[in-house]
Amino acid sequence: MSSALRVLITSEQIQERVRLLGEQINADYPDGPIYLISILKGSFIFLADLARALKRHSVRIEFMGISSYGAQKTSSGQVKVTRDLDANIEGHHVLIVEDIVDSGFTLSYLTRVLEQRKPKSLEVVTLLDKREKRVQAVKVKYAGFQIPDEFVVGYGLDYAEDFRNLRDICVISA
Ligand code: PRP
């Protein structure tokens, strides 16, 4: 496949923003454990950098897999959990870690699922926020960058499973 890539956010810009997000989150939470829940697969690189930007000892890493039926997430009922947490999050501070929030259907479903498990707090951190595409209202406490409605890859985000390993976030056009 021949694709044109245009850098939207450089690796350096990402690193600086993640460092600031880490500082902000550190300041907002009391000492003690924070559970970071990485939503597979796109958030794995952001998770790795964010976890290291949190200057505290108790940062607990969990993974969750979700799938949506068909190519389009046209309703929240079409999302389901394919890989669940290992830990019991009841009574703990929990941060959902996303690479991108688009329509909001994924997060809307996930927050409902996780709230039922009675965490002490439940917030969302996303590296990228495509706010203009939002269909379902979701509360995003921490967002790295607002981005326009363009197809982006890199730093964990894919196009047909490729490009996740790019250091920059790039706009792709076929
Ligand atoms: C992306 C992203 C979010 C979701 C956001 O995952 O990681 O989970 O889409 O979209 P929404 O706000 O419209 O629900 P994707 O389905 O691309 O899977 P991947 O992370 O495994 O690439």
Side-chain angles (χ1 to χ4, degrees), residues 9-23 45-53 55 127 144-145 155 166-169:
I9 308 170
T10 66
S11 169
E12 291 74 19
Q13 289 173 309
I14 297 168
Q15 294 308 318
E16 177 59 9
R17 191 70 187 98
V18 172
R19 190 183 66 74
L20 292 172
L21 282 172
E23 275 184 8
I45 293 180
F46 179 41
L47 171 85
D49 285 342
L50 183 68
R52 287 175 291 179
K55 304 299 181 202
L127 182 71
F145 301 92
Y155 197 72
L166 298 179
R167 289 179 181 275
D168 304 317
I169 289 172

Side-chain angles (χ1 to χ4, degrees), residues 39-44 66-68 73 79 97-108 110 126 130 133-136 138 151 156-159 161 164:
I39 310 306
L40 296 169
K41 300 173 189 171
S43 67
F44 78 106
I66 58 112
S67 77
S68 46
K73 295 165 195 166
V79 186
V97 180
E98 269 287 22
D99 51 330
I100 188 165
V101 183
D102 197 325
S103 68
F105 282 124
T106 304
L107 263 187
S108 160
L110 273 174
T126 186
K130 255 189 205 180
K133 290 274 285 182
R134 203 76 92 249
V135 177
Q136 189 83 41
V138 284
F151 200 98
L157 291 100
D158 74 309
Y159 173 70
E161 294 301 326
R164 293 193 197 273

